[in-house]
Amino acid sequence: ANLPQFIPDDVTDRVFGGEYRIGGLRLNVERELYDSNITPYDSTRYLAELSHRGPANFVFGLNANYTVIDHLDIHQQSKSLDITGQVEKQFSDRLLGKASINWHRDTGAIFLGVTTSGVDEQLELRWKYGQTQIYLILRNTQITAPAQGSQSQSAQVGIRRDF
């Protein structure tokens, strides 16, 4: 019988880039050269983040990520763009609330040559006492792809203890 052969991956991963910060602005660019005998790729990532502490314990944030991946073994390229806005409010020493919305677009990321886009919305409440947190996360996700789309909602309730 012909059994699949195990092929060990030989990887050399080189990452280099730069970052610039001033006030609440952060800009970052990064280049990765992933030399692998199974899945080699080169990628370039760009990041811009802006955060601002507002009145009444509000923190506002906006960030954008753009990534280009060249899949060297199949001579294809995938791109992704994510833009996220977030607001955070410290209601008390123990209670924190967050709301965020994220828009994303992927070209060739799942199936090369196919573009998908989507929106994720999230609301979160966290109550903290000592090393224990109780949280509630509500999430709505909409994904659009050629000839299909999906929408999902979820609610997550949890207790977390840090040691």
Side-chain angles (χ1 to χ4, degrees):
N2 288 338
L3 296 175
Q5 230 180 7
F6 175 75
I7 301 172
D9 199 3
D10 183 16
V11 174
T12 302
D13 191 15
R14 296 179 302 274
V15 180
F16 52 94
E19 181 172 284
Y20 177 75
R21 292 179 186 235
I22 185 167
L25 177 65
R26 177 177 157 224
L27 302 172
N28 184 298
V29 65
E30 183 177 276
R31 180 80 170 143
E32 181 176 18
L33 307 173
Y34 190 83
D35 186 17
S36 160
N37 63 332
I38 296 178
T39 56
Y41 65 86
D42 292 344
S43 70
T44 306
R45 292 183 278 277
Y46 303 93
L47 166 71
E49 288 182 339
L50 181 62
S51 65
H52 175 71
R53 185 167 299 280
N57 294 324
F58 275 100
V59 177
F60 302 95
L62 182 64
N63 70 45
N65 289 295
Y66 182 66
T67 303
V68 178
I69 301 174
D70 293 310
H71 305 274
L72 303 175
D73 55 339
I74 57 176
H75 307 291
Q76 296 283 334
Q77 188 177 73
S78 60
K79 299 175 184 177
S80 68
L81 174 63
D82 281 273
I83 299 172
T84 303
Q86 180 174 315
V87 62
E88 186 176 297
K89 167 78 171 153
Q90 190 76 44
F91 293 103
S92 69
D93 290 343
R94 295 188 179 156
L95 185 61
L96 174 71
K98 294 181 184 180
S100 66
I101 186 165
N102 171 265
W103 176 85
H104 50 166
R105 180 180 175 93
D106 297 314
T107 302
I110 300 171
F111 301 104
L112 293 172
V114 174
T115 298
T116 61
S117 61
V119 175
D120 298 307
E121 299 143 329
Q122 182 170 304
L123 294 174
E124 179 178 341
L125 277 176
R126 283 192 183 267
W127 182 77
K128 185 174 181 179
Y129 184 78
Q131 293 176 280
T132 303
Q133 292 182 35
I134 298 174
Y135 58 88
L136 169 66
I137 301 172
L138 303 174
R139 184 175 295 133
N140 180 53
T141 301
Q142 300 171 4
I143 297 174
T144 305
Q148 67 180 18
S150 68
Q151 183 170 354
S152 65
Q153 292 80 33
S154 65
Q156 181 180 359
V157 177
I159 299 175
R160 175 182 167 151
R161 169 90 175 156
D162 294 322
F163 295 96

